[in-house]
Amino acid sequence: MMELRVLIHAPRGRDGSVVQTVLSGQGIESVVCATEQDLLAALDEGAAAVILTEEALPQLMTAGGLRGWLNSQPPWSDFPFVVLATKREGRRAENDFRSLHNLGNLVLLERPLNAETLASAAESAVRARRRQYAAREHLEELKRTRTELERLNGELEDRILRRTRELASANDRLMKEINERERAQAALTQVQKMEAIGRLTGGIAHDFNNLLHVVNMNLELVSLYAKEEKVKPVVERAKSAARRGARLTNQLLSFARSQSLMPRLTRVNQLILGMKDLLEISVGSGIEVEFDLCEEDATVMLDASQLEMAVLNLAVNSRDAMPQGGKLKISTGTRFLDDDRDLGEGDYVLLTVSDTGSGIPANVLPKVFDPFFTTKPVGSGTGLGLSQVYGFARQSGGLARIRSEEGKGTTVEMLFPEADADAEEVSAVRQKAAIPALAGACHILVVEDDADVRRVIVECLSLIGYKVTEAANGSEALAHLATIKPDLLVVDYAMPDMTGAEVISEARKRFGELPVILATGYADMAAVERLAGRPRILRKPFDIAQLGDAVSGVLDEAREKAEAGSV
């Protein structure tokens, strides 16, 4: 397929044929373009990426050459380039730097480089281009849908006009029906837009979550292998950055999917403090962010990632209400309620987000929690933010309320039932994984489609002492199970041929009860429970200690169950 091929332009020496050989070894279709005209003609026919040498750039970046082609790209396109640069001392000349900058979507590889680096860069560029093609197809589908809607609307309006001429007395009723139809069409357009954004965001965030997982666990391996003490602080700083990236990715995944809530013991003050950087970046430098957190633990049982999304939604709404700047205040506290008409008697944690913005008119205030209701201009808001906040609060056993006055700002309160602060919590960070005494006698099958993620999980389990077999997909895992009976199955959820839940379900049908751990950045828990019951969930990105604890915990449970059954 022409749109997925890689074009190679390396006019000097044997560079072009060498690059093509490397790509062929990875199963990537490629074409060597000997001249600038050949390259431009091939680009017009279709390609996924271009690999070219730096010395070819000056000739290419003329006004009528590659620069003109780049400027004529459609809005969905950000064509990727991999430039093989010449190793040099000092800074590049201004013309060379400008030529590189004009390419836009650029990966710069300094020669000499190994084949694996080149192949990885080419594969990344092709994957990025595939996502652009997916966005293009979705935009075209939206355009076709819009055209069909316009056609149907035109037919409907003609019918209404004929009916109006025949039944003049029913004119008012028909006008009301037209208004309702237009509102339904606007809501449908919003849903389609949100679905497109959600798919794109979810795909990018899922891939990035896997990359963070590989980075995080390899940093732990570096920390374990490194003998010099000065390496450990460097690794810890990198792991801290990876954890911040994981939180951001988790929030993107939460936005991108319709999910089942996964409640766990959450200390609200710690969660808000952990969001401090994200909140300040989201609202911008023109808005002062103030935190007024109570001295109590303020512990609740809810889905922490959804609470983060709710607070972020409210903060972004406050930012939009303060275009000239202002103050955003986030406060927490505890309350005992015994006469609230909407909530039962008991102790509650109160989370308040208030701003000094423009406020909401009194006639609009009762509607703000309605889905798709927004006071923002068309294209500037979805009308889903506050309704998601309200729905999450109700699902969590609490309530969301809003107070506002024009010119005096807005306050949103979220109330959640207070949980037992002394409940046992699992420590999120430990120095190293404990090595179980019976690890060497246990066999684990790891099923993961991402090769880098699979490799690091296998290495970490082997480091702990387990015997490990690996499979790249569900079909390969089932083939392994036909010949071996592992003590534990560690399986990823999102895989191309079968989901992790489907692998677990099929494995149990064929080979009986088998202890499992489902490793995932996110999962549709309703689908998991329908196919595989309630397996142990291990959230990506996890560290070696969390992996070791999860594996030993599940194996211990299986061993206790087997001993109880034999008595």
Side-chain angles (χ1 to χ4, degrees), residues 101-122:
H101 178 74
N102 287 337
L103 289 177
N105 188 355
L106 167 68
V107 173
L108 191 65
L109 301 178
E110 189 173 88
R111 293 175 289 181
L113 69 158
N114 60 45
E116 187 174 309
T117 301
L118 177 60
S120 177

Side-chain angles (χ1 to χ4, degrees), residues 1-6 29 42-49 76 79 125-126 129-130 132-134 136-137 140:
M1 183 177 178
M2 284 190 174
E3 287 194 335
L4 294 179
R5 64 184 179 171
V6 175
E29 181 185 351
L43 283 170
D44 288 335
E45 292 173 354
W76 58 264
F79 194 85
V126 172
R129 191 61 172 172
R130 281 180 183 272
Q132 293 178 25
Y133 290 148
R136 176 191 64 185
E137 292 170 4
E140 290 175 352

Side-chain angles (χ1 to χ4, degrees), residues 60-200:
L60 284 172
M61 297 304 291
T62 58
L66 183 59
R67 184 185 301 175
W69 186 88
L70 287 170
N71 293 335
S72 66
Q73 289 184 95
W76 58 264
S77 177
D78 187 15
F79 194 85
F81 291 86
V82 177
V83 175
L84 306 181
T86 304
K87 187 173 184 180
R88 64 179 69 198
E89 298 289 337
R91 182 180 174 86
R92 285 182 169 78
E94 184 63 27
N95 287 341
D96 293 344
F97 181 81
R98 192 179 300 111
S99 295
L100 289 169
H101 178 74
N102 287 337
L103 289 177
N105 188 355
L106 167 68
V107 173
L108 191 65
L109 301 178
E110 189 173 88
R111 293 175 289 181
L113 69 158
N114 60 45
E116 187 174 309
T117 301
L118 177 60
S120 177
E123 289 172 349
S124 296
V126 172
R127 280 199 302 273
R129 191 61 172 172
R130 281 180 183 272
R131 293 194 188 98
Q132 293 178 25
Y133 290 148
R136 176 191 64 185
E137 292 170 4
H138 200 73
L139 289 171
E140 290 175 352
E141 179 63 25
L142 286 175
K143 184 177 180 180
R144 288 193 293 271
T145 302
R146 191 178 299 111
T147 301
E148 180 64 15
L149 280 174
E150 289 173 356
R151 184 185 67 79
L152 294 173
N153 288 341
E155 294 177 359
L156 182 58
E157 287 170 358
D158 290 342
R159 205 177 308 153
I160 290 172
L161 288 174
R162 289 195 299 271
R163 182 83 175 252
T164 302
R165 285 193 293 267
E166 295 169 0
L167 305 170
S169 62
N171 184 63
D172 290 342
R173 179 177 59 82
L174 290 174
M175 290 302 296
K176 183 178 179 181
E177 290 178 359
I178 292 172
N179 289 334
E180 288 298 322
R181 187 200 71 234
E182 288 177 347
R183 179 173 177 176
Q185 289 171 349
L188 176 60
T189 301
Q190 291 285 15
V191 169
Q192 291 172 331
K193 181 172 71 173
M194 291 300 295
E195 182 183 0
I197 295 172
R199 286 180 179 176
L200 181 60

